[in-house]
Amino acid sequence: TYGLGPLVEQMGAALAADSPYLPSQLYYAGCARLLADDEDGAFVHFNRLKPLLAARRDSLPIGADDRFNIAWRQATLVEDGDYPDTLDAARLAAAAARLPAMENLGQWGDGGGAAFVLLAACDGRYLERFGADYLRSVAAMGQGVALHLHVVEPVAEVVAAIAAKAAGGAVPLTLTAEAARPWRGGAYYASARFLVAAEVVARNGGKPVMITDIDVEFLRPPAELAELARPFAFASFVHRSGIGPGSRLPAVWTWFAGADGAAMLDALRRIVLSKLDVPWPHNWMLDQAALMTARRWLRRHRPDAAIAEINRLCGRYFPDFLACRGDADDKAALIRAAGQG
């Protein structure tokens, strides 16, 4: 920002290899490259930074209340484009085996004629806080949509309330759940959508999937976003001022379609599985860091895949389509209730 990016890089040339300032310099040099839309240049810095962070882990201020924790988790959670293909298959299989099976809780209406699936996932208490409003929003704006809600550790009375609202509703709804699992906390709940997305797509005959946060309200019909995204294997928004690699692609809204979209979802699932054992406070923003990694994988290994950043495509950012519900304190309390934060 303020045109100072080149100065950040020049400072690195003046720092000794053992300088305590080198991790910060490399991180912010990478961030400056992101702001300049030089993603490949940014990862030159981030790839230099990662082994340095590992070597200096015990001496860095990376606790939950330390400011450098933000840089630490953004730089360590994100990976470059080859990462998914370097992962050990046996280790991924062991992690996947620890995930509970998807359980069907109910289906209301026929979504067979829908052009795409709208997916949101959360834990039971988040569903209690935001589920009814989300369902109301989709019912008002979501004609032609097949809605799929996936709940981690569902609360029986909340599920019953959602089922009552879904019965006879305007939008077809499938409700699935998973029981308690080894990973409990906000980072898992935020990432669960990407762990179940491929199965949801398969259940719907390979239709494109639009994935959103559940703590949002649609201001415009989802079909408008789907029409913008329709030619693309992957589409998202890009944060205009999100300088960190884990802040660049907001998970609030994403789109996956076709064979390339399915391949990206597979890579994304592998990335999330590989990072599930990262503990709090170093795992927050895993979902968005994994998105960045998966998009780099798609660009590198499927270079013909069509990718879009919606705000650059149409000049409108996600608040023109979606309004975020709740406030920071509200959501922080839910994260603490999940045993994290």
Side-chain angles (χ1 to χ4, degrees), residues 137 141 216-225 228 237-240 250 252-253 309-324:
S137 167
M141 292 279 183
V216 297
E217 173 187 0
F218 280 97
L219 303 177
R220 304 292 306 165
E224 286 190 16
L225 279 165
L228 288 168
F237 292 89
V238 59
H239 270 309
R240 294 169 292 193
V252 61
W253 182 92
E309 295 172 347
I310 294 296
N311 42 315
R312 292 179 172 171
L313 186 68
C314 70
R316 297 154 71 188
Y317 197 43
F318 77 78
D320 293 326
F321 300 92
L322 300 163
C324 294

Side-chain angles (χ1 to χ4, degrees), residues 12-279:
L15 292 175
D18 60 351
S19 170
Y21 301 108
L22 191 56
S24 293
Q25 182 274 326
L26 286 170
Y27 177 74
Y28 287 109
C31 291
R33 286 284 184 175
L34 285 180
L35 288 174
D37 286 328
D38 180 10
E39 188 176 298
D40 287 339
F43 273 82
V44 170
H45 294 293
F46 295 139
N47 290 338
R48 283 187 61 204
L49 173 61
K50 291 177 76 71
L52 189 63
L53 292 177
R56 300 190 186 183
R57 177 187 177 96
D58 294 339
S59 64
L60 291 170
I62 56 174
D65 297 322
D66 292 316
R67 293 185 64 183
F68 194 71
N69 172 264
I70 298 174
W72 169 275
R73 52 189 158 92
Q74 294 228 9
T76 56
L77 288 174
V78 78
E79 303 285 351
D80 212 341
D82 290 333
Y83 175 78
D85 295 337
T86 68
L87 294 168
D88 181 75
R91 180 179 167 224
L92 290 179
R98 297 166 70 192
L99 295 173
M102 182 185 290
E103 176 188 357
N104 292 313
L105 296 183
Q107 185 170 348
W108 299 267
D110 181 9
F116 64 94
V117 181
L118 176 61
L119 168 64
C122 63
D123 72 292
R125 290 305 177 190
Y126 224 73
L127 184 70
E128 180 179 33
R129 173 65 180 83
F130 297 108
D133 287 338
Y134 184 79
L135 190 59
R136 187 181 306 113
S137 167
V138 175
M141 292 279 183
Q143 289 73 20
V145 168
L147 177 61
H148 190 120
L149 296 181
H150 181 72
V151 191
V152 182
E153 292 188 76
V155 179
E157 58 268 27
V158 177
V159 168
I162 293 294
K165 292 180 182 298
V171 174
L173 169 65
T174 298
L175 188 61
T176 58
E178 62 183 76
R181 62 282 160 289
W183 305 280
R184 189 170 192 271
Y188 179 84
Y189 299 146
S191 301
R193 67 190 89 179
F194 299 135
L195 293 172
V196 301
E199 183 171 349
V200 171
V201 169
R203 288 179 175 216
N204 287 273
K207 290 180 181 179
V209 61
M210 178 185 296
I211 308 177
T212 73
D213 288 348
I214 201 169
D215 53 355
V216 297
E217 173 187 0
F218 280 97
L219 303 177
R220 304 292 306 165
E224 286 190 16
L225 279 165
E227 184 59 26
L228 288 168
R230 185 174 54 81
F232 301 99
F234 172 69
S236 69
F237 292 89
V238 59
H239 270 309
R240 294 169 292 193
S241 58
I243 67 169
S247 302
R248 194 68 172 158
L249 303 182
V252 61
W253 182 92
T254 53
W255 169 270
F256 302 84
D260 289 331
M264 182 174 169
L265 277 176
D266 178 70
L268 182 54
R269 188 174 192 270
R270 284 182 277 147
I271 296 160
V272 172
L273 283 172
S274 76
K275 303 270 186 176
L276 285 178
D277 287 328
V278 176

